[in-house]
């Protein structure tokens, strides 16, 4: 959207009782009051206007939501830069226009719409309502819509797009974000998140048709249109059947006495994780009663994000102790992420980092493939993927075992709890990951091993990969930009740092600009992503550290990993070296005191 609102004339009889004294802002207010049929959000703008809150009006109306991690994410509320009925309608109109251009069979193949359980009373905004409006825009244009009749895990939408051969799909969710947020996640016909240039072209199309069309507000079309189908039973049944393809020890699962506790963090995961355990032959995991059912307020956790570790698992761990369950699995509110904790012999709990789980998943999936592949199977046809900020342990395993390892630039599969096991769902999936980790734990118990003990074996075989990940909060975008621009002009213009304190930097890769000093032509082989900030430093001591912004939250994240050879087995020394380097990274590159950054709370 252009400066202050949207392009185009406003044909409306709406009269602004008070002028702001700014013609462009007056136009934006006029547009909002003309187009918005949600009484709650309309009243929010009217109240700001009547109370002379012109700065807040400008903040809300004079910029537009931009596509971040495969879609839109923001707080719910009134304004063109918030998630609300009107901005979802506008976004869907733009997607309709783009898909109509891309697919001649759009109106035969259809579109998938799913949603989680988020909501905000003050804006009369909920994921289900936003999903109904998304469907309404398309149904009014005679597009068949596969609209789930109830909330589903995020991975069900990309899975449905593939299974139903739809042209695209949208999931209304803000995943693990705070309760005030919601989002609009877009998947292409291949079941993967949209990438460039689709995102940029969709934005252009949104800007060309911002005024709601006739029928776009008719959310009742979901209940009355013959073009609407409910794919829930078919997709759920097919998904659970496909899960069995990565179940390798069903007989052990049926017989095990190992108990599991599962929490869904007040989100969508409970029913679906129960079904996944059943598909693998397990007894159902023990649910955390206070967190089993959907609750848009996430009333028992400060933040429904597995990344926060033991602090958000408190209820799960206490229940596990009571029930004598040795393993806890936690899915985030839209069930695309997984956290895992295991009770140690001393009674304490080990909460695995995402990178540690990646090592376990990598070992497990390759071992199962080796045991079950045909005699003529070629290991060179095996691939594993990790993102730029994930552990390099899969690379180490691949080098030793002979399969392929590739790096992806997709930020959402972060070094924290995001995993994709198998190829049925081409996105991160906490439901399948939860039941795979349960089977892994069951198998290892039969070998008198815990998950933690197996992790040590993996590191001793392929080399220790010690990582630490955290973040700073920064609510001032110019400060974030200044921090990263300083790194690009460190000692001189267009010159990246050669040292970080006492640590020598061998290579620098900047995904934002496309620079990579390790390449002969100095150009990154990974796709450029100008919409976010991301710089990776490779150090002479074997450490790799990445600084990047979040696509969905006001955070500057850092990811640091010490990659050691198998013969470097003194973990304490490696951890101390990594910690010193992180301290140097924060002091020299982020300068939190100078830049007013807020440290992550414990």
């Amino acid at each position: 959207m252009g400066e202050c609102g949207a392009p185009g004339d406003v044909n409306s009889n709406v009269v602004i009782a008070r002028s702001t004294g700014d013609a462009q802002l007056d136009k934006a207010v006029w547009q909002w009051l003309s187009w918005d049929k949600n009484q709650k959000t309309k009243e929010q703008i009217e109240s700001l206007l009547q109370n002379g809150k012109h700065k807040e009006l400008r903040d809300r109306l004079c910029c537009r939501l931009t596509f971040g991690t495969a879609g839109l994410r923001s707080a719910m509320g009134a304004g063109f830069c918030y998630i609300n009925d009107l901005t979802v309608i506008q976004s869907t109109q733009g997607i309709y226009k783009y898909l109509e251009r891309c697919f001649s069979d759009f109106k035969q193949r259809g579109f998938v719409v799913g949603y989680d359980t988020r909501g905000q009373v003050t804006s009369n905004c909920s994921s289900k309502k936003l999903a109904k409006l998304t469907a309404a825009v398309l149904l009014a244009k005679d597009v068949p819509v596969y609209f789930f009749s109830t909330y589903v895990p995020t991975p069900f939408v990309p899975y449905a797009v593939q299974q139903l051969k739809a042209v695209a799909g949208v999931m209304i969710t803000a995943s693990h974000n705070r309760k005030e947020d919601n989002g609009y996640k877009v998947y292409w016909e291949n079941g993967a998140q949209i990438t460039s240039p689709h995102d940029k072209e969709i934005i252009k199309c949104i800007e060309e048709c911002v005024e709601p069309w006739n029928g776009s507000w008719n959310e009742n079309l979901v209940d009355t249109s013959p073009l609407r189908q409910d794919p829930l039973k078919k997709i759920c049944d097919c998904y659970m059947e496909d899960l069995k393809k990565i179940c390798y020890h069903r007989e052990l699962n049926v017989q095990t006495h190992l108990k599991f506790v599962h929490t869904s963090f007040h989100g969508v995961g409970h029913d679906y994780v129960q079904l996944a355990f059943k598909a693998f032959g397990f007894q159902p995991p023990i649910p955390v009663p206070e967190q089993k059912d959907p609750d848009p307020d996430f009333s028992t956790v400060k933040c429904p994000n597995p990344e926060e570790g033991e602090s958000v698992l408190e209820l799960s761990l206490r229940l596990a102790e009571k029930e004598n369950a040795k393993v806890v699995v936690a899915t985030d509110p839209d069930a695309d992420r997984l956290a895992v904790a295991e009770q140690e012999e001393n009674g304490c709990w080990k909460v695995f980092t995402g990178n540690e789980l990646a090592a376990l998943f990598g070992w497990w999936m390759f071992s199962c493939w080796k045991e079950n592949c045909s005699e003529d199977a070629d290991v060179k046809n095996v691939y594993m993927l990790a993102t730029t900020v994930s552990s390099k342990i899969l690379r180490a395993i691949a080098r030793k075992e002979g399969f392929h390892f590739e790096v992806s630039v997709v930020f959402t599969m972060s070094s924290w709890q995001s995993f994709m096991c198998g190829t049925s769902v081409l996105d991160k999936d906490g439901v399948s990951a939860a039941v795979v980790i349960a089977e892994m734990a069951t198998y290892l118990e039969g070998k008198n091993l815990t998950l933690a003990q197996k992790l040590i074996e993996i590191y001793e075989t392929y080399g220790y990969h010690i990582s630490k990940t955290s973040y700073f909060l920064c609510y001032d975008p110019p400060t974030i930009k200044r921090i990263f621009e300083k790194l690009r002009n460190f000692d001189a213009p267009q010159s990246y740092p050669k040292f970080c304190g006492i640590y020598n930097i061998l290579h620098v890769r900047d995904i934002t600009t496309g620079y990579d000093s390790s390449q002969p032509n100095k150009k990154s082989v990974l796709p450029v992503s100008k919409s976010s900030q991301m710089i990776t430093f490779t150090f002479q001591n074997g450490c790799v550290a990445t600084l990047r912004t979040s696509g969905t939250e006001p955070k500057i994240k850092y990811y640091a990993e010490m990659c050691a050879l198998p013969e470097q087995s003194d973990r304490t020394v490696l951890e101390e070296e990594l910690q010193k380097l992180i301290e140097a990274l924060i002091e020299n590159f982020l300068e939190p005191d100078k830049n007013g950054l807020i440290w992550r709370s414990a």
Side-chain angles (χ1 to χ4, degrees), residues 193-205:
Q193 298 173 22
I194 60 163
T195 55
S196 188
H198 298 309
D199 54 350
K200 297 177 180 63
E201 293 302 315
I202 289 171
I203 290 171
K204 289 179 186 176
C205 289

Side-chain angles (χ1 to χ4, degrees), residues 265-467:
F265 281 146
H266 302 293
V268 306
H270 171 73
D271 294 339
Y272 302 99
V273 170
Q274 295 272 313
L275 289 171
F277 271 66
K278 182 179 179 181
F280 266 50
F282 284 111
Q283 290 295 307
I286 302 163
V288 178
E290 302 94 329
Q291 299 174 333
K292 176 175 73 72
D293 298 321
D295 173 10
D297 289 325
F298 306 117
S299 53
T300 67
V301 290
K302 184 179 178 181
C303 174
N305 188 350
E307 185 176 323
E308 302 299 331
E310 192 165 347
S311 64
V312 293
L313 295 174
E314 181 68 25
L315 288 173
S316 312
L317 303 183
R318 301 296 80 82
L319 178 63
E321 290 167 356
K322 177 183 174 184
E323 297 285 348
N324 195 30
K326 299 299 182 185
V327 177
V328 169
V329 292
T331 48
D332 72 337
D334 69 327
D336 68 347
R337 290 187 176 204
L338 178 75
V340 178
E342 181 183 57
Q343 192 172 35
E344 300 176 295
E345 287 185 7
N346 62 5
C348 296
W349 288 90
K350 174 174 175 55
V351 180
F352 293 90
T353 69
N355 283 332
E356 290 172 335
L357 291 176
L360 287 164
F361 278 123
W363 159 76
W364 177 253
M365 297 303 285
F366 182 70
S367 297
C368 290
W369 176 84
K370 253 197 326 189
E371 288 177 13
N372 294 276
C373 68
S374 59
E375 288 185 9
D376 59 347
D378 189 350
V379 71
K380 290 186 172 58
N381 291 327
V382 175
Y383 285 79
M384 288 195 189
L385 307 175
T387 67
T388 52
V389 296
S390 299
S391 171
K392 303 301 180 286
I393 184 63
L394 296 183
R395 181 181 64 187
I397 298 173
R399 283 175 176 171
K400 187 159 187 173
E401 301 294 347
F403 61 84
H404 288 278
F405 169 76
E406 298 290 343
V407 174
S408 160
V409 78
V410 180
F411 297 144
T412 50
M413 291 176 62
S414 69
S415 73
W416 286 87
Q417 290 65 17
S418 305
F419 308 100
M420 183 181 80
C421 299
T423 57
S424 293
V425 179
L426 299 183
D427 196 20
K428 55 192 189 294
D429 182 357
V431 177
S432 61
V435 73
V436 168
I437 207 79
E439 182 173 73
M440 191 192 309
T442 300
Y443 171 85
L444 289 172
E445 188 198 33
K447 305 289 184 184
N448 292 316
L449 286 170
T450 64
L451 293 168
Q453 289 167 341
K454 185 63 201 181
L455 180 64
I456 292 171
E457 283 190 5
I458 293 168
Y459 285 145
E460 288 176 346
T461 303
Y462 301 106
Y464 274 94
H465 286 61
I466 313 297
S467 62

Side-chain angles (χ1 to χ4, degrees), residues 125-358:
C125 184
S126 71
S127 293
K128 186 170 186 177
K129 184 184 182 188
L130 297 176
K132 282 186 169 186
L133 290 169
T134 300
V137 171
L138 300 167
L139 291 169
K141 290 292 186 180
D142 298 323
V143 175
V145 173
Y146 299 98
F147 183 90
F148 284 98
S149 55
T150 189
Y151 55 80
V152 291
T154 288
F156 270 38
V157 170
Y159 181 77
V161 169
Q162 283 190 297
Q163 288 291 312
L164 302 170
K165 296 180 171 55
V167 299
V170 159
M171 176 71 185
I172 306 295
T173 181
S175 190
H176 58 278
N177 275 40
R178 60 190 191 134
K179 67 181 181 181
E180 291 82 4
D181 292 350
N182 216 324
Y184 184 95
K185 197 168 188 179
V186 187
Y187 294 91
W188 200 242
E189 65 169 336
N190 60 356
Q193 298 173 22
I194 60 163
T195 55
S196 188
H198 298 309
D199 54 350
K200 297 177 180 63
E201 293 302 315
I202 289 171
I203 290 171
K204 289 179 186 176
C205 289
I206 292 171
E207 291 175 347
E208 291 169 6
C209 45
V210 290
E211 185 169 358
W213 301 330
N214 291 333
S216 288
W217 281 99
N218 187 6
E219 61 184 274
N220 293 328
L221 279 176
V222 164
D223 303 312
T224 60
S225 173
L227 291 173
R228 181 264 175 143
Q229 295 183 52
D230 177 10
L232 181 65
K233 186 178 187 308
K234 177 179 179 179
I235 293 306
C236 194
D237 290 349
C238 289
Y239 175 92
M240 296 304 164
E241 195 62 32
D242 268 349
L243 259 190
K244 295 176 184 177
K245 295 176 184 176
I246 53 174
C247 176
Y248 298 102
H249 299 280
R250 186 180 177 84
E251 68 289 345
L252 294 179
N253 303 341
V254 171
Q255 297 167 9
T256 187
H257 297 291
L258 201 61
K259 291 183 179 180
F260 302 91
V261 161
H262 169 244
T263 176
S264 51
F265 281 146
H266 302 293
V268 306
H270 171 73
D271 294 339
Y272 302 99
V273 170
Q274 295 272 313
L275 289 171
F277 271 66
K278 182 179 179 181
F280 266 50
F282 284 111
Q283 290 295 307
I286 302 163
V288 178
E290 302 94 329
Q291 299 174 333
K292 176 175 73 72
D293 298 321
D295 173 10
D297 289 325
F298 306 117
S299 53
T300 67
V301 290
K302 184 179 178 181
C303 174
N305 188 350
E307 185 176 323
E308 302 299 331
E310 192 165 347
S311 64
V312 293
L313 295 174
E314 181 68 25
L315 288 173
S316 312
L317 303 183
R318 301 296 80 82
L319 178 63
E321 290 167 356
K322 177 183 174 184
E323 297 285 348
N324 195 30
K326 299 299 182 185
V327 177
V328 169
V329 292
T331 48
D332 72 337
D334 69 327
D336 68 347
R337 290 187 176 204
L338 178 75
V340 178
E342 181 183 57
Q343 192 172 35
E344 300 176 295
E345 287 185 7
N346 62 5
C348 296
W349 288 90
K350 174 174 175 55
V351 180
F352 293 90
T353 69
N355 283 332
E356 290 172 335
L357 291 176

